[in-house]
Amino acid sequence: MYRTHTCGQLRISDAGQKVTLAGWVQKARKLGGMTFIDLRDRYGITQLVTEEDPGVGREWVIQVTGEVVERQSKNSKMPTGDIEVKIEKVNVLNKAQTPPFTIEEVSDGGEDIRAKYRYLDLRRAPLQRALALRHRLAQEIRTYLDAQGFMEIETPYLIKSTPEGARDFVVPSRMNPGEFYALPQSPQTFKQLLMVAGYDRYFQIVRCFRDEDLRADRQPEFTQIDCEMSFVEQEDVLNTFEGMMRAMFKNALGVDIPNPLPRMSWYDAMDSYGSDKPDVRFGMKIHEIGDIVKGNGFSVFDGSEYIGAIAVPGCSEYTRKQLDELTEWVKRPQVGAKGLVYIKVNADGSIKSSIDKFYTPEQLQKVADCVGAKSGDLIFVMCGPKRKTQTQLGVLRIEMGGRLGLRDPKVFAPLWIVDFPLLEWDDETRRFYAMHHPFTAPKPEHEKWFYSDRKEDLERVCANAYDFVLNGTELGGGSIRIHNADMQSRMFEVLGISKEDAEYKFGFIINAFKFGAPPHGGLAFGFDRVCALFGGQETIRDYIAFPKNNQGRDVMIESPSRIDKEQMDELFLQSTVK
Ligand code: ASP
């Protein structure tokens, strides 16, 4: 037997017992003729003590036998802090090179070196906690969905393109020269085919692949909790999955989320928060003030489609310098605003603004009333095309919320965003795109517009599509689907996909809908993001055992990498890269 206990197990009640432990040497230090060793495994750390220095180094793997004794100086911060093990025998199971960084709660290693030695970084407690949380959540999901009658069914990875709006990763087929598989951006078409096949409650915790430029919360391969149900309406889907989220919050974090969850229409979210994933932990809502400020001779406002404002609490004493800095901040390409107008509602009730020349204090007071600004608040105003300006105000709102400490990761404010438009017009390519994906159905009451050829009609069509949003992050989304071949063909037509192209790419699903497809709908959650937010973090990397870096590289195994000429030939590939 390698060990009688783990390194996180022993307590004062075990004093006097003879035990055997095995683990890694986190630290060894000499003190007054004694050697103290912190022995670590994934359950915790136990202090070992001996009069003879056993000569072990950091990260050596050892087995020790000894007696559990009460410590002289106890450490209340450690669960095992009341005891130590008096070494009687040390058995070195494996030596270790000195690790390139300290493997402790907080490491001294930079991100790159820790990524190269990911297996060492993974020994650290914060990462072990992150992966333990991920495991816990996966178990909760399976338990909940199983109890609800869902079946976990695997779908293939070597498939054909699924249009989720990103670039595909492709895999050449040796057996079919010149042809390629695409890795799934999601199992969307397969889960719909499973509904046609009668498996009316499906789920899968599944890897998806999207070849996108990476940001902190994106990975080229990521995990979805993918789900689909038949004979359901939007209400059934929302109830089922807010139940799942409720169970996850309760059982993994001990947190109660509201029952039922708040819902907000996409239009309200855009109008009030300038985002389809509003952070509702704080107010600072956007208000349209065009009616109040237009027609006063201020040409910037007079010529704008939309003028909106937010009231930032307690910031009326912002200095010139701070205001200039924020103005520059909103002008960066990431935000793209032309400028920033401010109105200070001073503590004494007086008003000072950057547009005093054009407006009387009474008029500015009207703006303050409209946006709910009180004495001591600072109002920011932006103008331009409606949705664009709202989005910019939304970005500024999030920034100010962050600066004011209103975005506490331990506070959870989940909600559903519903009633998304079905289609999105793109001025550049002069065509419609599916707001969610092309398998989303129009609301039955909007079908008349869906079959119209007028752009204004098509723009009005809404879908029974929904997103689950938490703290300003979209954690999941889905929709009630099209289950009728003609409607699916119409959708491809609206999206400007030719009959031939639709047939080539999606013939299989249009065809399946001709063989008795049930009404169905579903959704998918981004599991990595769920884990990160539950863990109170913004980046998903710590919640993935072996993530890629910003260039999509795994620097530990050095991938991607070149393949040799023989393999290229076998796959009928030629590289143009020198
Ligand atoms: N396949 C969708 C996605 O990946 C989710 C869904 O509609 O179920 O976003």
Side-chain angles (χ1 to χ4, degrees):
M1 190 155 62
Y2 267 112
R3 55 183 177 187
T4 56
H5 296 78
T6 68
C7 296
Q9 207 175 347
L10 295 168
R11 299 289 182 274
I12 190 79
S13 55
D14 297 303
Q17 264 203 68
K18 179 79 115 4
V19 297
T20 303
L21 302 181
W24 287 261
V25 174
Q26 176 156 312
K27 232 196 245 164
R29 58 200 179 279
K30 284 190 192 164
L31 207 75
M34 308 287 267
T35 301
F36 293 91
I37 295 170
D38 283 350
L39 191 69
R40 174 197 348 102
D41 63 15
R42 83 168 165 94
Y43 306 94
I45 293 175
T46 299
Q47 177 164 295
L48 314 175
V49 58
T50 174
E51 282 171 18
E52 274 166 62
D53 182 358
V56 295
R58 277 166 60 203
E59 300 308 315
W60 285 32
V61 188
I62 62 170
Q63 183 187 39
V64 290
T65 300
E67 191 190 326
V68 182
V69 295
E70 186 170 353
R71 270 206 222 180
Q72 297 280 306
S73 53
K74 301 195 168 53
N75 180 348
S76 61
K77 289 199 192 105
M78 289 170 72
T80 61
D82 287 350
I83 57 98
E84 58 197 3
V85 172
K86 244 178 111 180
I87 297 180
E88 286 162 22
K89 190 168 156 246
V90 177
N91 181 16
V92 173
L93 299 174
N94 214 343
K95 292 184 179 179
Q97 285 184 24
T98 307
F101 48 86
T102 53
I103 302 176
E104 295 177 19
E105 180 73 28
V106 179
S107 174
D108 62 0
E111 211 172 295
D112 294 346
I113 189 86
R114 284 188 290 117
K116 184 164 159 60
Y117 295 93
R118 181 71 173 173
Y119 48 88
L120 295 181
D121 206 20
L122 284 170
R123 283 186 194 160
R124 290 172 51 233
L127 284 153
Q128 299 203 340
R129 283 196 299 271
L131 291 189
L133 175 64
R134 185 179 176 113
H135 165 75
R136 174 87 274 112
L137 290 170
Q139 301 316 306
E140 292 301 336
I141 291 160
R142 290 202 162 93
T143 305
Y144 177 87
L145 292 177
D146 178 52
Q148 298 281 324
F150 282 78
M151 276 171 74
E152 185 166 10
I153 304 175
E154 287 156 279
T155 52
Y157 282 161
L158 296 176
I159 67 164
K160 195 166 174 155
S161 182
T162 304
E164 295 281 3
R167 218 175 278 121
D168 287 325
F169 280 104
V170 293
V171 179
S173 167
R174 178 185 57 80
M175 287 188 284
N176 303 276
E179 295 190 312
F180 297 82
Y181 301 100
L183 298 181
Q185 293 187 32
S186 81
Q188 185 62 36
T189 47
F190 285 96
K191 67 174 172 178
Q192 292 193 245
L193 294 173
L194 285 170
M195 296 303 111
V196 179
Y199 294 82
D200 69 352
R201 287 180 163 218
Y202 142 94
F203 87 100
Q204 190 182 186
I205 300 183
V206 60
R207 201 65 59 79
C208 300
F209 306 86
R210 296 183 191 179
D211 189 0
E212 294 176 293
D213 291 336
L214 304 181
R215 296 192 309 245
D217 63 342
R218 284 224 183 123
Q219 285 279 307
E221 49 179 311
F222 61 97
T223 305
Q224 281 192 346
I225 311 161
D226 191 46
C227 311
E228 198 74 9
M229 307 166 84
S230 291
F231 305 114
V232 287
E233 287 167 350
Q234 167 167 299
E235 202 55 36
D236 304 302
V237 180
L238 299 191
N239 286 335
T240 302
F241 291 99
E242 78 177 67
M244 183 181 87
M245 276 293 170
R246 192 163 294 117
M248 289 161 70
F249 269 107
K250 185 75 191 169
N251 300 339
L253 298 183
V255 168
D256 288 301
I257 57 170
N259 188 5
L261 282 187
R263 294 185 192 176
M264 193 186 292
S265 81
W266 180 87
Y267 295 91
D268 288 346
M270 291 306 296
D271 287 347
S272 298
Y273 296 92
S275 167
D276 58 4
K277 37 182 192 291
D279 186 342
V280 295
R281 281 173 297 185
F282 62 100
M284 226 190 272
K285 286 195 204 173
I286 299 170
H287 296 266
E288 178 164 15
I289 58 163
D291 285 351
I292 309 174
V293 295
K294 270 192 177 181
N296 245 54
F298 183 40
S299 62
V300 179
F301 282 176
D302 289 348
S304 288
E305 180 196 354
Y306 172 92
I307 307 158
I310 57 171
V312 185
C315 287
S316 67
E317 297 196 350
Y318 256 41
T319 59
R320 179 85 246 168
K321 193 162 159 239
Q322 282 172 303
L323 291 166
D324 286 347
E325 182 256 323
L326 264 179
T327 307
E328 286 315 307
W329 189 87
V330 298
K331 281 182 173 169
R332 295 174 320 147
Q334 294 94 316
V335 188
K338 289 229 172 65
L340 191 59
V341 166
Y342 70 83
I343 305 169
K344 289 177 172 180
V345 185
N346 295 321
D348 63 7
S350 66
I351 291 196
K352 169 104 194 63
S353 82
S354 52
I355 44 174
D356 282 346
K357 256 207 317 215
F358 301 95
Y359 298 96
T360 64
E362 290 70 37
Q363 285 170 316
L364 296 176
Q365 184 59 50
K366 270 198 192 149
V367 173
D369 292 342
C370 173
V371 301
K374 299 189 202 55
S375 304
D377 293 356
L378 174 62
I379 301 166
F380 286 124
V381 185
M382 288 186 183
C383 62
K386 180 171 168 186
R387 292 288 179 225
K388 198 169 157 196
T389 307
Q390 287 175 336
T391 305
Q392 292 164 346
L393 277 164
V395 176
L396 177 63
R397 174 183 171 272
I398 290 290
E399 174 68 15
M400 295 313 294
R403 290 188 188 197
L404 295 177
L406 302 172
R407 306 190 69 209
D408 179 354
K410 297 246 154 33
V411 175
F412 297 100
L415 79 163
W416 290 108
I417 304 299
V418 294
D419 298 336
F420 279 76
L422 181 72
L423 303 160
E424 208 176 5
W425 177 258
D426 180 52
D427 262 335
E428 221 165 277
T429 49
R430 306 207 51 75
R431 53 159 281 206
F432 278 110
Y433 286 84
M435 188 99 159
H436 186 48
H437 54 50
F439 307 106
T440 297
K443 274 183 189 279
E445 60 272 30
H446 292 184
E447 273 176 34
K448 52 182 185 297
W449 296 324
F450 180 61
Y451 287 95
S452 155
D453 283 328
R454 295 176 48 209
K455 179 168 166 257
E456 310 79 70
D457 285 342
L458 287 164
E459 271 176 332
R460 274 200 283 185
V461 183
C462 278
N464 282 324
Y466 29 80
D467 276 356
F468 184 93
V469 170
L470 176 65
N471 296 359
T473 299
E474 179 208 321
L475 284 188
S479 57
I480 298 299
R481 326 294 187 188
I482 296 172
H483 64 282
N484 165 298
D486 293 336
M487 188 184 275
Q488 189 64 66
S489 298
R490 167 66 183 159
M491 184 59 153
F492 290 129
E493 181 186 52
V494 169
L495 298 177
I497 301 174
S498 72
K499 268 213 162 59
E500 298 71 44
D501 218 22
E503 180 55 36
Y504 179 69
K505 287 187 179 141
F506 306 111
F508 66 97
I509 196 158
I510 297 176
N511 213 26
F513 287 166
K514 295 177 185 157
F515 288 94
H520 60 284
L523 82 182
F525 291 95
F527 187 43
D528 313 288
R529 282 193 199 172
V530 168
C531 295
L533 261 72
F534 271 60
Q537 304 289 325
E538 296 218 331
T539 63
I540 60 178
R541 245 174 242 167
D542 284 357
Y543 294 82
I544 298 172
F546 298 105
K548 311 262 188 291
N549 73 7
N550 281 343
Q551 280 76 48
R553 303 194 70 86
D554 182 327
V555 293
M556 177 183 64
I557 59 170
E558 295 186 347
S559 164
S561 55
R562 293 193 178 198
I563 55 175
D564 58 35
K565 167 110 180 28
E566 227 166 74
Q567 212 176 352
M568 295 277 280
D569 290 346
E570 222 170 41
L571 295 168
F572 307 94
L573 294 179
Q574 263 181 347
S575 176
T576 54
V577 179
K578 290 284 168 284

